[in-house]
Amino acid sequence: MKRLILMRHAKSDWSLGQPDSARPLNARGQRSAEAMGDWLREKGYLPDQILCSSAQRTRETLDLLRITAPTSYQKGLYLATPDKMRKALRKAKGDTVLMLGHNPGIGLFAHSIVATPPDHPRFDDYPTCATLVVDFPITAWKALDAQGETVDFAVGRDFSD
């Protein structure tokens, strides 16, 4: 079995007038990322590999999770389509992979990989810091071609204001 933890970056700051890829998190986003890291640890959802967009807000989200695993920062995950995310995941080696990215692609990808969506009112719009945990009945990521089983889903606002 392989497990994917699919996370959208936490809430970013639009007020600084920076290029999109350089936007940092705002205060709410920082709180949400820290809370999501606590939730992941409490539930035992700990990755052994991390695939992260190279954008500032995804890198900062990852830092605030306080989770350590071999990490690959990938420019190709910045605003990636579901197909690009699937291709990146098929190259993964870990048993439990955390993938950090952006909407709209990450939300579309989340919908495409689960047989049954989680019973959560925010799954459809996949808001900032949304995190899906899904298991796949495969032994290698390169075999990823079917939908997986939803294990859990949460958003940062479930734990912080």
Side-chain angles (χ1 to χ4, degrees):
M1 181 189 71
K2 297 291 184 186
R3 174 168 283 174
L4 175 63
I5 304 165
L6 187 65
M7 182 182 294
R8 182 178 174 198
H9 63 81
K11 186 80 174 160
S12 60
D13 190 341
W14 287 86
S15 68
L16 303 174
Q18 296 176 305
D20 185 68
S21 64
R23 282 190 293 116
L25 299 182
N26 67 17
R28 187 179 104 203
Q30 292 169 351
R31 290 189 304 272
S32 292
E34 289 174 350
M36 190 57 70
D38 292 341
W39 179 77
L40 289 170
R41 281 187 296 284
E42 287 170 12
K43 294 284 200 162
Y45 303 145
L46 298 175
D48 53 14
Q49 183 179 5
I50 300 170
L51 306 176
C52 185
S53 159
S54 60
Q56 175 62 28
R57 59 192 179 273
T58 51
R59 295 172 73 95
E60 191 174 342
T61 298
L62 179 57
D63 288 346
L64 291 168
L65 293 175
R66 299 182 321 273
I67 292 174
T68 305
T71 302
S72 172
Y73 296 100
Q74 299 182 11
K75 189 174 183 177
L77 289 178
Y78 173 65
L79 303 178
T81 64
D83 285 341
K84 285 185 180 181
M85 288 181 208
R86 187 179 305 274
K87 286 178 186 175
L89 187 55
R90 283 184 175 145
K91 295 176 185 173
K93 301 295 182 204
D95 289 325
T96 301
V97 175
L98 168 61
M99 180 180 279
L100 259 157
H102 310 264
N103 254 355
I106 202 157
L108 295 170
F109 186 50
H111 283 82
S112 75
I113 61 173
V114 293
T116 304
D119 184 20
H120 192 287
R122 298 301 308 270
F123 182 70
D124 284 342
D125 65 326
Y126 222 82
T128 54
C129 220
T131 303
L132 172 68
V133 181
V134 58
D135 287 343
F136 296 93
I138 56 177
T139 58
W141 286 111
K142 64 183 175 184
L144 179 67
D145 62 1
Q147 294 177 317
E149 179 183 335
T150 299
V151 175
D152 216 335
F153 179 79
V155 298
R157 285 196 118 172
D158 290 343
F159 314 111
S160 65
D161 54 354

